[in-house]
Amino acid sequence: MLVDSHCHLDRVDLTPYQGDFKRLMEQTLDQGVGKILSVSINLEAYPAMLALVAAYPGISISVGVHPCEQAGEDPEIETLIELARHPKNVAIGETGLDYYRSQNEDMAWQRERFRRHIRAARVLRKPLIIHTREARQDTIHIMREEKAEEVGGVMHCFTETWEMAKEAMAMNFYLSFSGILTFKNAQALRDVAAQTPMERILIETDAPYLAPTPFRGKPNEPRHVARVAEQLAEIKNQPVENIIQQTHDNYCRLFGVDERLSLLDLVAPKSFRWKRKSPEIPQ
Ligand SMILES: [Zn+2]
Ligand SMILES: [Zn+2]
């Protein structure tokens, strides 16, 4: 079963589905995608996102405020902890650092917010979903200082160097690859993916953003995670079934998601709780 380990379901364009979210989910499952992690970007949209996905056991959620969100609430640790106690919640994020649009500004507020998210994750013993852009050194530095390795997590939509990949993996982090892997100009990233151990890889769409080739420029959807799996199969020179199975198992292990859950399976098994074994640390 395919897994989209990172998307924003409350932002996905429902126009092709006549505004019907259930229809979107049926078609997604039809294409083999059985589990989704819908990632929170701000607290204002969190209740609506929860309500949207409540009936779907195969959809998990995270809570956090994206580093680029400036208009809404900047959460205290206690708030994050409180919101993360929901049974569907499996992670804290997305959080991290993004200096892309703010090269000359003082980004101390972003670093402070990132630290609070890591602290909340450690209290909860839940993994982190980390976004990093143009902020390689500060991201690793804060992860180290705040002991992010205690909970681990995922470097989502990974586009950084092999050096950073190794540093993150040494702190119990997985790397999640998106549709960017399919872009013509992304050979450096394909090289990083080629070197990354299979037991540390997740795949994602980041829908509605970053549609893979040949859908590039169009609104993205969770079902397009199949393109990421195919691309990874090519890079790893492995059958796509292996990629699908391994990224599914990695997802369940990292987020403590029950392997039996599927999008339209409305009966949630009893063991739908966060439980996680630590992954092996690569040398
Ligand atoms: Zn992101
Ligand atoms: Zn995202």
Side-chain angles (χ1 to χ4, degrees):
M1 169 194 299
L2 277 158
V3 177
D4 185 359
S5 76
H6 185 116
C7 66
H8 307 285
L9 282 180
D10 52 336
R11 295 180 176 213
V12 168
D13 182 14
L14 292 178
T15 315
Y17 304 93
Q18 281 76 45
D20 186 347
F21 183 73
K22 181 147 194 257
R23 224 153 125 179
L24 166 70
M25 287 300 105
E26 281 163 356
Q27 300 246 349
T28 305
L29 187 61
D30 250 20
Q31 311 252 339
V33 181
K35 291 183 175 72
I36 295 176
L37 179 45
S38 187
V39 173
S40 157
I41 281 184
N42 60 49
L43 298 192
E44 289 70 26
Y46 185 68
M49 183 173 83
L50 248 178
L52 183 70
V53 307
Y56 302 90
I59 305 176
S60 301
I61 53 155
S62 70
V63 66
V65 178
H66 191 286
C68 294
E69 286 285 303
Q70 273 188 280
E73 181 179 347
D74 198 4
E76 295 301 326
I77 297 172
E78 295 71 27
T79 310
L80 290 168
I81 292 171
E82 192 57 38
L83 293 171
R85 292 210 192 273
H86 190 279
K88 266 193 154 340
N89 183 287
V90 297
I92 297 295
E94 55 183 293
T95 182
L97 300 176
D98 192 323
Y99 296 168
Y100 179 66
R101 283 184 197 81
S102 35
Q103 306 288 356
N104 304 314
E105 285 170 44
D106 178 10
M107 301 306 281
W109 64 271
Q110 231 184 44
R111 292 188 285 274
E112 243 335 281
R113 177 189 285 176
F114 184 27
R115 287 180 191 276
R116 271 180 270 134
H117 279 74
I118 301 176
R119 288 172 197 176
R122 284 177 56 207
V123 172
L124 290 155
R125 314 286 313 154
K126 287 192 181 190
L128 286 151
I129 299 167
I130 295 184
H131 168 114
T132 179
R133 196 172 185 196
E134 311 266 317
R136 202 175 291 161
Q137 277 187 344
D138 285 2
T139 302
I140 290 290
H141 176 74
I142 290 176
M143 285 167 71
R144 257 196 212 118
E145 266 195 4
E146 296 293 338
K147 302 189 174 64
E149 80 275 5
E150 270 186 21
V151 289
V154 57
M155 307 304 288
H156 109 86
C157 193
F158 194 75
T159 51
E160 301 289 338
T161 60
W162 176 240
E163 282 311 302
M164 189 178 193
K166 280 191 293 187
E167 288 177 309
M169 286 191 283
M171 284 189 269
N172 293 325
F173 277 73
Y174 290 67
L175 308 184
S176 179
F177 295 99
S178 67
I180 294 176
L181 267 193
T182 68
F183 295 177
K184 221 178 183 161
N185 59 0
Q187 191 50 47
L189 184 62
R190 284 189 284 275
D191 293 343
V192 170
Q195 291 186 79
T196 307
M198 265 318 298
E199 53 280 5
R200 287 308 191 96
I201 294 181
L202 296 179
I203 50 177
E204 66 171 80
T205 59
D206 207 8
Y209 316 108
L210 290 172
T213 312
F215 312 103
R216 204 171 169 180
K218 301 204 178 100
N220 201 1
E221 291 180 33
R223 64 189 168 93
H224 295 330
V225 77
R227 279 293 302 124
V228 184
E230 284 162 8
Q231 183 68 61
L232 198 55
E234 209 172 285
I235 293 167
K236 292 288 196 190
N237 201 14
Q238 281 190 32
V240 72
E241 292 75 19
N242 287 7
I243 305 290
I244 291 171
Q245 183 68 45
Q246 179 85 53
T247 52
H248 170 270
D249 294 351
N250 292 348
Y251 173 84
C252 293
R253 185 185 331 115
L254 173 62
F255 294 113
V257 171
D258 192 306
E259 291 174 12
R260 295 165 296 176
L261 292 181
S262 173
L263 284 186
L264 293 179
D265 169 13
L266 296 175
V267 185
K270 287 190 267 331
S271 55
F272 186 46
R273 260 182 294 125
W274 188 73
K275 52 176 168 46
R276 184 163 71 90
K277 294 177 221 104
S278 297
E280 304 266 318
I281 297 170
Q283 297 308 303

